[in-house]
Amino acid sequence: MPVTRMQAAPTTTPIRERAAGTDYEGHFRNALERLHGERRYRVFADIERISGRFPTANWRRPDGRTTEITVWCSNDYLGMGQHPDVVAAMTETARRCGVGAGGTRNIAGNNSPLVDLERELADLHGKEAGLVFTSGYVSNQAGISTIAKLIPDCLILSDAFNHNSMIEGVRHSGCEKRVFRHNDLAHLEELLAAAGDRPKLIVFESVYSMDGDVAPIEKICDLAQRYGAMTYLDEVHAVGLYGERGAGMAERDGVMHRVDVIEGTLAKGFGCVGGYITGSALLCDAVRSHAAGFIFTTALPPAIAAAARASVRYLKRSSVERAAHQRQAARTKAALEAAGLPVLPTETHIVPVMVGDAELCKAAADHLLERHAIYIQPINYPTVPRGTERLRITPSPFHDEARIAKLTAALVETWETLDLPRAGTLFVEAAE
Ligand SMILES: Cc1ncc(COP(=O)(O)O)c(C=O)c1O
């Protein structure tokens, strides 16, 4: 079974015995059976990354045997999770400060490396302040909901393809919302004009992680200015990767100063864990003082904050990784396209190879792992709309020519074995 099972403590009465007349466990069984029926039950690969040999990892098979594999789907886009400066900052700080934060920010958990990290992030995005959360997910959920809640009568305008964490932030705010068609400026303008004078918050991403397309940030800022709206931009799939100092797409486009709130993660391009918002000192202070998802949870530990700061600082100075990342992503795309594989054209580092069927997508991923020691997680509904299931490939600077050639041959063999649709034969539907 893919779930990790533990022996129940002997004193615990199993749910099914306790619940006379009510089959509590039956509800969980039914819920899982529904997922199996829809062919979208998720199985996690049990892997252990090998520090210093990115993107190699050991895969522990269900039978306990171990196989060395190449990971082609990590969001540690630059391999910074194994960078010597980052590992050194974490281990040195853990030795000096211990491992946990010891409390919430309010009660004993505030720590100097975390305060320094927030200053580093504010500087990265050219803002007055930064506020760190335990993940990018929490930063969106707590950030958007709190910001919108603090503005009386706020209307939220949200891109149709926004990540679940942003959708949850919008929902938790309790504010009225309008969803604009993905990257559709005319539709956004129509909604802004119809909203009249009331306060408005536009929430959107820079790089959309599944299709790899980019928002027209400058034009959205123009509209925000014209109609008196605030802007909140998720740069989760761009921080570390784009811009002269790795601040993301808004930096690349020279419009960082025009975005009111820039949100990011420390988990992907920066290779650690945690999330943040940056903005005016007043806004960050207000979120710090009101967001339940910030107040009532233990702070990020000092060793993680120090590692994240080391990563941010390193990538502010060095563009070598960014250039190599773009180069290897372009080479991967070119190789797969030349082999006739159905690559969704993207302008970014993300390489989606379309399958269009949940069961076949999982079969392709299983085959790649079993037969070729290549790990690419299948991406199925609800992460992407039904009919657009795909393998989402994320090349890094460390996926060299030999690995790209091996990946291409493995995908071609998989496509032939499973008789999967080739380039030009697959109709990619718009999002639901
Ligand atoms: C667009 C976007 N925002 C936020 C998040 C959440 O970030 P984190 O993984 O740091 O929680 C994700 C996660 O994949 C994401 O894709």
Side-chain angles (χ1 to χ4, degrees):
M1 289 296 283
V3 281
T4 307
R5 287 175 179 275
M6 291 174 72
Q7 209 66 41
T11 49
T12 308
T13 314
I15 299 172
R16 57 185 166 276
E17 285 171 31
R18 200 183 323 152
T22 304
D23 183 11
Y24 287 101
E25 289 233 296
H27 296 301
F28 307 136
R29 196 175 310 110
N30 291 343
L32 290 170
E33 275 167 12
R34 276 197 297 277
L35 291 182
H36 281 294
E38 292 173 20
R39 304 282 181 261
R40 57 187 187 91
Y41 178 74
R42 292 173 186 219
V43 180
F44 301 154
D46 178 352
I47 63 168
E48 189 171 270
R49 306 201 305 159
I50 305 167
S51 189
R53 291 186 55 211
F54 191 90
T56 309
N58 284 319
W59 169 44
R60 190 161 58 178
R61 293 167 176 266
D63 64 9
R65 282 181 302 139
T66 297
T67 304
E68 197 170 286
I69 58 165
T70 299
V71 180
W72 271 100
C73 59
S74 176
N75 279 338
D76 184 355
Y77 291 122
L78 303 177
M80 290 302 288
Q82 298 176 16
H83 192 282
D85 288 8
V86 178
V87 175
M90 183 175 283
T91 50
E92 186 277 320
T93 310
R95 250 182 246 113
R96 195 162 42 85
C97 305
V99 292
T104 65
R105 292 292 288 273
N106 192 38
I107 306 176
N110 197 35
N111 57 82
S112 307
L114 193 43
V115 173
D116 292 343
L117 172 63
E118 286 176 339
R119 290 204 187 104
E120 197 72 56
L121 293 166
D123 171 76
L124 176 69
H125 293 290
K127 303 292 178 202
E128 288 174 355
L131 194 65
V132 167
F133 298 78
T134 46
S135 72
Y137 192 99
V138 174
S139 61
N140 272 335
Q141 196 185 38
I144 294 172
S145 61
T146 307
I147 291 164
K149 232 187 265 179
L150 291 175
I151 305 169
D153 195 33
C154 184
L155 174 74
I156 303 178
L157 299 117
S158 176
D159 187 285
F161 281 14
N162 275 344
H163 186 256
N164 177 273
S165 55
M166 305 174 79
I167 295 168
E168 285 300 312
V170 172
R171 217 159 58 88
H172 281 229
S173 74
C175 294
E176 207 180 327
K177 69 149 198 262
R178 300 270 186 280
V179 175
F180 59 96
R181 286 188 293 273
H182 177 53
N183 279 350
D184 187 332
L185 291 165
H187 192 211
L188 174 59
E189 179 156 21
E190 197 184 298
L191 297 176
L192 283 165
D197 283 343
R198 67 191 287 194
K200 298 170 278 291
L201 176 68
I202 305 171
V203 296
F204 63 115
E205 298 177 29
S206 60
V207 175
Y208 287 85
S209 69
M210 290 300 145
D211 290 348
D213 57 338
V214 181
I217 303 173
E218 183 170 18
K219 294 206 165 74
I220 290 178
C221 290
D222 289 344
L223 286 178
Q225 199 168 330
R226 192 169 317 142
Y227 291 94
M230 261 183 76
T231 46
Y232 178 107
L233 176 62
D234 174 312
E235 289 259 33
V236 159
H237 292 277
V239 286
L241 313 181
Y242 295 92
E244 210 181 314
R245 295 199 309 160
M249 282 294 178
E251 184 191 26
R252 187 200 69 173
D253 295 352
V255 292
M256 214 158 53
H257 60 289
R258 298 192 60 199
V259 180
D260 294 304
V261 185
I262 296 181
E263 182 270 347
T265 184
L266 303 166
K268 302 184 196 294
F270 295 127
C272 298
V273 70
Y276 63 89
I277 59 167
T278 58
S280 75
L282 261 180
L283 179 139
C284 289
D285 198 17
V287 174
R288 182 187 74 87
S289 309
H290 289 88
F294 176 84
I295 296 171
F296 297 107
T297 190
T298 297
L300 217 59
I304 294 192
R309 182 169 180 234
S311 186
V312 172
R313 280 168 78 93
Y314 177 88
L315 288 173
K316 276 181 182 173
R317 295 191 305 270
S318 175
S319 287
V320 175
E321 293 75 13
R322 278 187 282 282
H325 183 223
Q326 291 299 315
R327 187 189 63 228
Q328 294 314 101
R331 286 182 180 168
T332 307
K333 275 185 221 171
L336 301 189
E337 277 163 7
L341 292 157
V343 180
L344 188 71
T346 69
E347 49 188 306
T348 59
H349 56 282
I350 294 161
V351 186
V353 181
M354 307 307 286
V355 178
D357 177 272
E359 203 164 1
L360 286 174
C361 197
K362 175 156 180 356
D366 288 348
H367 184 83
L368 284 164
L369 192 56
E370 291 279 352
R371 174 87 187 260
H372 299 283
I374 283 175
Y375 172 37
I376 310 172
Q377 188 67 25
I379 307 284
N380 289 345
Y381 176 83
T383 309
V384 294
R386 286 193 173 91
T388 73
E389 291 82 1
R390 66 197 67 182
L391 299 177
R392 176 181 178 271
I393 297 173
T394 52
S396 77
F398 299 96
H399 290 86
D400 58 15
E401 276 37 50
R403 286 189 201 269
I404 294 172
K406 187 166 180 263
L407 170 75
T408 309
L411 284 170
V412 167
E413 189 278 333
T414 303
W415 250 245
E416 276 162 9
T417 303
L418 299 177
D419 196 20
L420 299 177
R422 289 288 185 149
T425 62
L426 195 73
F427 174 63
V428 179
E429 286 178 29
E432 286 172 343

